Amino acid sequence: MTSSVTIVSVFPGLLGTYGDAGNEMALVHRLRSRDVPVEVVRVEPGSPVPTSGDIYLLGGGEDRAQALAADLIGPALRRAVDAGATVFGVCAGFQILGETFSDSSRTTYPGLGLLDVVTEPLPHRAVGEAVVACALPGTSSVVGFENHRGGTRLGAGAEPFGRVVAGVGNALTPGTEGARSGRVLGTYLHGPVLALNPALADFLLQGVVSSLSPIDDALALRARAHRLASPHAH
Ligand code: GLN
């Protein structure tokens, strides 16, 4: 456990087109509200990705930006994971964590090999509200918004992030959404998902901070309830 938490946002300039920067803001808010010191490192191409961070965030991005990001991250993220870091990737950021991903023109790129998943294009883009039944400690229904052409197949070494209640999810392993292997997690859910789902944000923080006092989540819970009540969530 650490006294100051380092959050690394990986290439937000490349992986920042789907509003997932809010995940960093949500984690920072949850730490500052509890008087836990936090340092944020936003690393962009050209600078080395630090290997000593506590939590690494990767967001959604366009196909070309995603392929470039995967190529530039190098072995840094693997070293961080070996040292015990938590990694949370959304959409493109999730696909990059896998073994390989193919874009809509079916060009295949190597992923970082941190999740036993492969991504291939679906016949149609998956766009809309999504609800996922998630079994991570403290979480239940995770709500968000998906917007992806890639679908993902889980290998034996990855468990799903959750089961699809509403929406499309991984599609290539039907009924599943996202993937997890230890402290490496990936999901298709934007939102930003950590702002809409405080329990999920706290699950990520639990690996780093020894005790998490309750904080006022009234606004986030209202936003969640609104999403869950939407006709698209059923
Ligand atoms: N380019 C990827 C896809 O369409 C990721 C999109 C995203 O990050 N929202 O599957």
Side-chain angles (χ1 to χ4, degrees):
M1 297 290 169
T2 178
S3 49
S4 170
V5 176
T6 302
I7 297 173
V8 182
S9 284
V10 181
F11 302 159
L14 287 174
L15 302 173
T17 37
Y18 289 86
D20 302 309
N23 287 336
E24 175 200 293
M25 294 165 77
L27 292 181
V28 168
H29 164 72
R30 304 189 75 71
L31 289 165
R32 293 219 171 116
S33 302
R34 289 156 165 149
D35 295 322
V36 177
V38 51
E39 188 195 350
V40 174
V41 180
R42 292 190 194 122
V43 62
E44 294 291 1
S47 303
V49 177
T51 56
S52 58
D54 296 302
I55 301 177
Y56 289 75
L57 298 173
L58 297 88
E62 300 310 316
D63 286 356
R64 210 177 295 172
Q66 160 178 358
L68 185 60
D71 190 36
L72 293 174
I73 289 168
L77 216 53
R78 277 191 290 276
R79 279 203 210 119
V81 170
D82 287 344
T86 295
V87 178
F88 185 68
V90 177
C91 206
F94 163 39
Q95 297 171 356
I96 284 173
L97 297 175
E99 298 294 335
T100 59
F101 56 91
S102 307
D103 63 17
S104 37
S105 62
R106 296 205 165 264
T107 307
T108 300
Y109 302 89
L112 302 178
L114 289 168
L115 288 171
D116 183 12
V117 305
V118 295
T119 295
E120 290 160 14
L122 297 172
H124 305 287
R125 199 167 181 85
V127 184
E129 301 284 338
V131 179
V132 172
C134 181
L136 293 172
T139 66
S140 52
S141 300
V142 172
V143 301
F145 188 86
E146 61 184 334
N147 184 354
H148 52 105
R149 176 74 195 275
T152 298
R153 184 174 298 110
L154 304 185
E159 55 185 298
F161 172 75
R163 301 256 147 216
V164 175
V165 175
V168 175
N170 292 333
L172 298 181
T173 300
T176 68
E177 202 292 313
R180 177 188 176 200
S181 174
R183 301 287 308 166
V184 180
L185 294 92
T187 175
Y188 275 110
L189 299 188
H190 305 289
V193 70
L194 297 185
L196 283 172
N197 300 276
L200 176 61
D202 278 355
F203 172 79
L204 298 184
L205 295 176
Q206 266 151 22
V208 186
V209 181
S210 49
S211 102
L212 293 172
S213 49
I215 59 175
D216 181 3
D217 277 324
L219 271 177
L221 295 178
R222 255 174 62 195
R224 247 179 82 75
H226 184 258
R227 294 290 187 99
L228 282 166
S230 138
H232 305 289
H234 300 283

